[in-house]
Amino acid sequence: MDLQSMINESSRIVFFGGAGVSTESGIPDFRSADGLYNQKYRYPPEQIISHSFFLHDPEEFYRFYRDRMIYREAKPNAAHLKLAELERAGKLSAVITQNIDGLHTDAGSRNVIELHGSIRRNRCMNCGRPYTLEQIINTTGVPRCECGGIIKPDVVLYEEPLDEDCINRAINAISGADMLIIGGTSLVVQPAAGFIGFFRGKYLAVINKTPTPADKKADIVINASIGETLGAITVNSAG
């Protein structure tokens, strides 16, 4: 059975995606040859985007963060747009993403579970006051709140736990799905990658350019562009 037929037969689809979904929007992923982890900086990227490094050297963190993690010109691609269309048609119940770029929301998806947070949200570590991405971009050095506290992006850094509410929402969505589409993720980042183990539905589809640990369990594996693959899907309303 092909991907189109599986989607046609399903009405509670959940999409679980990673960095590969946004590479077609011009945002580099973390582990490819030209990805974030292979860029040259004073410190390894894994160290810079850790909780302890942020506390120790917020100025260097923000230099890297503004340079390599904020892509203001990025726009939703065909994959983001098709997922939003599937949701509007009553076919897709949730998008679970490991990305922090906010492109699923830009595309029109409403039930988006952002496991690793979002660059769109920022908060004072002292008083909790929220700040927008634009407010952060329009600062230099370490952005500070009116109260004097350091403003931190609402992104999950290394050494930080995932938000418990996001975990529960993701597990509930996957548990209740009749189809799970895994796309643009190598499934190596834990604990997020482990959530797919809660799937008990009918169809498991994997769309990724390289092999993943889920391939052997999948009903269909497509090693191709996720934008082209999902973009070619025809959406029919559920029921």
Side-chain angles (χ1 to χ4, degrees), residues 164-187:
E164 192 168 330
D165 179 60
C166 283
I167 292 174
N168 291 333
R169 289 173 61 204
I171 291 173
N172 288 337
I174 291 172
S175 299
D178 58 4
M179 180 177 186
L180 178 63
I181 302 175
I182 298 170
T185 174
S186 55
L187 291 177

Side-chain angles (χ1 to χ4, degrees), residues 27 62 64-74 100-101 119 122 133 136-137 153:
I27 298 177
Y62 265 107
F64 177 87
Y65 180 76
R66 288 188 179 98
D67 185 35
R68 300 303 307 170
M69 298 182 74
I70 298 176
Y71 290 83
R72 298 176 70 192
E73 306 305 316
I100 61 173
D101 50 54
I119 61 172
N122 304 271
L133 176 60
I136 298 302
I137 290 173

Side-chain angles (χ1 to χ4, degrees), residues 198-213:
F198 289 92
F199 178 63
R200 297 292 184 270
K202 188 172 184 180
Y203 297 123
L204 175 61
V206 176
I207 309 168
N208 200 53
K209 290 183 177 179
T210 56
T212 80

Side-chain angles (χ1 to χ4, degrees), residues 40-102:
K40 301 300 181 184
Y41 288 91
R42 274 176 57 195
Y43 302 91
E46 305 99 306
Q47 183 178 349
I48 297 174
I49 54 176
S50 68
H51 179 78
S52 55
F53 189 93
F54 177 83
L55 296 179
H56 173 71
D57 193 347
E59 187 160 349
E60 181 67 11
F61 169 89
Y62 265 107
R63 187 181 75 83
F64 177 87
Y65 180 76
R66 288 188 179 98
D67 185 35
R68 300 303 307 170
M69 298 182 74
I70 298 176
Y71 290 83
R72 298 176 70 192
E73 306 305 316
K75 304 295 182 187
N77 61 53
H80 298 106
L81 296 171
K82 187 62 67 172
L83 291 168
E85 185 182 352
L86 284 165
E87 183 186 51
R88 288 193 298 271
K91 301 278 289 179
L92 184 140
S93 56
V95 168
I96 303 170
T97 181
Q98 299 171 82
N99 298 337
I100 61 173
D101 50 54

Side-chain angles (χ1 to χ4, degrees), residues 150-165:
I150 293 175
I151 300 169
K152 180 183 179 296
D154 181 23
V155 298
V156 179
L157 303 177
Y158 285 109
E159 305 165 355
E160 293 180 344
L162 300 187
D163 178 77
E164 192 168 330
D165 179 60

